[in-house]
Amino acid sequence: MAFVDSLLQNCHSLSHIKQLHAHLTTTGLFPFHRSKLLDRCATSPSLSLLPYAAFVFRHTPSPSTNDYNAIIRGLALTPTPTRALTCYLHMSRAPTTTTRPDALTCSFALKACARALALPEAAQIHSQVTRFGFGLDALLQTTLLDVYAKAGDLDGARKVFEEMTSRRDIASWNALIAGLAQGNRPSEALEMFKRAGSEGLRANEVTVLGALSACSQLGATREGEKIWEYVRGEGLDLNVQVCNAAIDMYAKCGFVDKAYQIFERVCRKSLVTWNTMIMALAMHGDGRRAMELFEEMGRFGVCPDSVSYLAALCACNHAGLVDEGFRLFNSMAGRGVSPNVKHYGSVVDLLGRAGRLEDAFEIVRSMPVVPDVVLWQTLLGACKTYGNADMAEQVSRKLVEMGSNSCGDFVLLSNVYAALERWGDVGRVREAMKNRDIKKIPGFSYTEVEGVVHKFLNGDQSHPSWREIYRKLEEVRFRIEAYGYVPETNYVLHDIGQEDKENALCYHSEKLAVAFGLISISDRASIQVIKNLRICGDCHTVIKLISKIYEREIIVRDRARFHRFKQGSCSCRDYW
């Protein structure tokens, strides 16, 4: 038996497998080793012999459970994992004494569900796991938890986790923390990370990857710092993936210099390490430094890929480096990297930000790849910035033709009309939104104070300290007016009076978050704010003045980039 196992492991081609298969058949040993041969063919990525395994399986009169397991496992790893579910279904419908799903069968089928995001099928297998009596199998329960998390049913994942009680291991904690972080529930991911520590779990590389991702999304600097201290204390910073996550975390929390310190300390930088750092510098508006790092890659023998070029193009976008961006884009094909729709989108964004709308429109019309919805939306955003109503109408019609139903499409077109005081057209767009039941995404901002995340909506009065916040804003308004501030009411895109417009501007969510920071965070300490939408021009002006008057560094991360306000200036140099 051991001899055959050794031979299987030394089969490195189809010819070798066929010779061993023939030998086992002629010696009468094949029925005893069939499952192992099938598994070797089906699951070895270096051999790619799944078709041969499937051929042997189809010609097996009475496949055993292990035979099915090998094929289902192999199919689950392919680009079409739903075929594994078809095989599992066939097995389940025709059970025999030798062919009945066991815990491994369910595990492989669930992994196929995870890769195919097949939630209904996973729920059915879950019920079968219970019926077959496999509910106490910790590994199977962890796989089930992972499926629910990856397929988007995070409540289902938590339910499975809570029912595991004493059978939870590091893998189950990791699956839930990663699922919550990747499923846009970062606060819960951090909560579970803390709970794991309180229950005596020793976090490993996978655990901290999920927790660092959650901190990145929340901008939770304090928690991120604690996790990084743990990482260094446990020696997990020797793992390049952990370092990449830490670079991303610090950058998205507003501390690009700390991110760069980690980058410099990584001895064996991967391509992802370089790409993460270049994108971090890009999002902070340090285009020159990002381009220097991009050029440095080649000197270290690292070949840039499509992501590297995308990061460098983003750096050009945010820094207004139009000529450099064009040269970079045109050099891609010569370096063996074919531009995709995202690269074209970056060039359109580059031109749009610079006000070259006609050039941007021409690129969209002439590009060799089919433009996607995001690309047209990028152009529509540029039309809004520069008040080009004619082009905005053309782009909007194109988005409608493509079936886009995003609220942003309607809001941008409405804002173009409102800026030109074409209130009838504004009403027409809003009526179209109403008829299609499209609701505008509300703007919100949040900030972290002493490890607690505080969220604010425009005009919010739900916060326990809202009265103190509003009083602080009144004080801010009085002080900035002494510096010549005049409310930029052109950013209030409603047909209302001047005083109402000024009041509407005063209580934008990012202003509320900054005011809360002023009353809650010790003097001279920096204030960090994250906003889900693009920061408005009036808020940008006000926060610049606040940074000067109150001598505070204020870091705002909006949907597109970072703004670091210090001594009355912004890192974007008012190009955003």
Side-chain angles (χ1 to χ4, degrees):
M1 293 292 184
F3 176 67
V4 174
D5 290 345
S6 176
L7 285 175
L8 271 172
Q9 293 307 311
N10 283 287
C11 287
H12 300 298
S13 67
L14 177 59
S15 175
H16 290 166
I17 287 289
K18 283 185 173 181
Q19 289 179 54
L20 180 59
H21 186 182
H23 171 73
L24 293 173
T25 302
T26 56
T27 57
L29 295 174
F30 183 59
F32 304 103
H33 298 282
R34 183 180 60 229
S35 297
K36 289 184 178 179
L37 185 138
L38 289 173
D39 189 70
R40 173 69 173 160
C41 293
T43 62
S44 176
S46 59
L47 292 179
S48 302
L49 295 180
L50 179 59
Y52 186 73
F55 171 80
V56 174
F57 180 79
R58 284 195 302 271
H59 289 81
T60 301
S62 301
S64 68
T65 295
N66 287 339
D67 294 337
Y68 268 102
N69 287 352
I71 296 300
I72 292 170
R73 183 185 180 193
L75 291 171
L77 298 171
T78 67
T80 52
T82 50
R83 291 192 296 158
L85 300 178
T86 302
C87 188
Y88 174 82
L89 183 64
H90 181 270
M91 180 187 187
S92 301
R93 285 178 174 173
T96 66
T97 54
T98 58
T99 307
R100 188 178 298 277
D102 61 10
L104 279 177
T105 321
C106 295
S107 178
F108 298 145
L110 285 170
K111 286 177 180 176
C113 291
R115 297 194 67 237
L117 304 181
L119 187 58
E121 290 83 353
Q124 291 178 39
I125 296 172
H126 186 182
S127 67
Q128 291 173 341
V129 165
T130 304
R131 192 169 73 249
F132 295 155
F134 304 145
L136 295 178
D137 188 313
L139 183 60
L140 188 55
Q141 290 295 308
T142 299
T143 305
L144 188 58
L145 187 164
D146 188 54
V147 176
Y148 279 124
K150 287 178 177 173
D153 185 1
L154 295 173
D155 293 330
R158 287 203 71 150
K159 186 172 185 293
V160 172
F161 179 83
E162 298 299 344
E163 289 174 352
M164 291 176 72
T165 59
S166 60
R167 289 173 285 111
R168 297 182 196 125
D169 58 9
I170 185 70
S172 56
W173 284 94
N174 289 348
L176 184 58
I177 291 168
L180 290 167
Q182 294 164 12
N184 294 320
R185 283 161 67 167
S187 296
E188 292 179 52
L190 273 185
E191 168 202 316
M192 293 304 296
F193 179 76
K194 293 175 188 174
R195 179 176 157 190
S198 68
E199 292 189 17
L201 186 84
R202 196 175 190 83
N204 63 14
E205 291 94 333
V206 180
T207 325
V208 297
L209 282 172
L212 286 169
S213 172
C215 293
S216 297
Q217 295 174 59
L218 291 169
T221 312
R222 179 174 294 191
E223 294 303 322
E225 289 271 10
K226 290 177 183 176
I227 295 166
W228 180 240
E229 286 176 15
Y230 174 84
V231 164
R232 295 186 65 184
E234 294 292 315
L236 301 180
D237 54 336
L238 298 176
N239 183 305
V240 69
Q241 285 183 290
V242 172
C243 289
N244 294 343
I247 291 168
D248 185 62
M249 181 275 292
Y250 273 117
K252 288 180 178 174
C253 287
F255 297 98
V256 72
D257 291 337
K258 288 186 177 180
Y260 194 77
Q261 288 172 12
I262 297 173
F263 171 80
E264 286 195 308
R265 284 175 45 197
V266 178
C267 295
R268 296 182 180 179
K269 297 178 178 67
S270 68
L271 178 59
V272 175
T273 313
W274 288 91
N275 290 348
T276 304
M277 194 65 238
I278 293 169
M279 184 60 83
L281 291 167
M283 300 309 290
H284 281 266
D286 199 342
R288 296 291 181 191
R289 200 169 162 200
M291 292 301 292
E292 287 171 7
L293 206 60
F294 179 80
E295 295 299 329
E296 197 177 315
M297 288 177 73
R299 292 195 291 274
F300 277 83
V302 181
C303 293
D305 65 357
S306 61
V307 178
S308 313
Y309 278 98
L310 186 62
L313 284 170
C314 285
C316 295
N317 286 352
H318 293 304
L321 305 176
V322 180
D323 293 336
E324 289 89 337
F326 256 111
R327 279 198 297 271
L328 182 68
F329 179 75
N330 291 329
S331 72
M332 289 179 65
R335 296 188 185 181
V337 181
S338 300
N340 59 36
V341 70
K342 290 184 178 180
H343 298 105
Y344 279 98
S346 289
V347 174
V348 169
D349 192 24
L350 180 70
L351 293 168
R353 288 172 189 267
R356 294 168 55 177
L357 301 186
E358 293 295 338
D359 292 338
F361 195 57
E362 183 56 35
I363 282 186
V364 176
R365 286 190 297 195
S366 62
M367 58 191 281
V369 294
V370 179
D372 62 6
V373 167
V374 174
L375 199 150
W376 286 107
Q377 289 169 337
T378 299
L379 186 55
L380 183 59
C383 293
K384 184 260 179 186
T385 300
Y386 288 96
N388 191 325
D390 292 338
M391 188 178 292
E393 289 171 343
Q394 292 181 62
V395 174
S396 291
R397 282 195 292 271
K398 188 66 182 177
L399 284 165
V400 170
E401 289 172 14
M402 295 177 74
S404 175
N405 234 11
S406 167
C407 71
D409 304 347
F410 293 89
V411 171
L412 283 171
L413 181 60
S414 173
N415 289 351
V416 171
Y417 289 143
L420 299 172
E421 298 187 356
R422 289 168 54 174
W423 302 115
D425 289 324
V426 171
R428 178 175 56 81
V429 173
R430 290 179 179 167
E431 186 64 27
M433 290 179 70
K434 183 179 178 182
N435 292 338
R436 299 186 188 197
D437 195 29
I438 297 171
K439 294 179 172 59
K440 182 180 176 181
I441 296 173
F444 64 82
S445 301
Y446 52 89
T447 186
E448 181 190 6
V449 176
E450 295 183 356
V452 179
V453 175
H454 299 262
K455 182 178 176 180
F456 300 91
L457 298 170
N458 289 346
D460 203 344
Q461 294 186 359
S462 63
H463 194 276
S465 304
W466 75 269
R467 288 183 174 83
E468 293 90 333
I469 294 168
Y470 275 51
R471 281 196 293 271
K472 193 66 179 181
L473 280 177
E474 288 300 318
E475 175 197 308
V476 166
R477 187 171 178 177
F478 176 77
R479 294 187 67 176
I480 62 177
E481 283 176 352
Y483 275 77
Y485 163 74
V486 176
E488 297 179 44
T489 54
N490 57 305
Y491 289 104
V492 181
L493 303 174
H494 298 279
D495 189 13
I496 56 178
Q498 182 69 16
E499 185 177 344
D500 290 333
K501 286 186 176 183
E502 291 181 11
N503 287 333
L505 279 175
C506 189
Y507 303 114
H508 276 190
S509 65
E510 53 265 61
K511 290 191 181 90
L512 294 172
V514 169
F516 180 66
L518 289 173
I519 64 176
S520 305
I521 299 173
S522 60
D523 289 347
R524 306 297 173 89
S526 65
I527 298 170
Q528 293 172 269
V529 174
I530 295 179
K531 183 171 183 180
N532 67 323
L533 304 176
R534 193 168 180 262
I535 187 173
C536 90
D538 184 75
C539 289
H540 194 270
T541 299
V542 168
I543 296 174
K544 280 199 297 184
L545 289 170
I546 291 173
S547 73
K548 181 179 181 66
I549 296 166
Y550 290 86
E551 298 182 355
R552 292 285 191 117
E553 181 181 46
I554 302 170
I555 302 164
V556 177
R557 179 176 121 194
D558 71 6
R559 185 182 61 186
R561 61 167 299 153
F562 277 87
H563 298 266
R564 184 182 291 271
F565 300 91
K566 194 172 183 179
Q567 297 177 348
S569 298
C570 180
S571 59
C572 74
R573 297 182 293 280
D574 297 336
Y575 185 87
W576 50 282

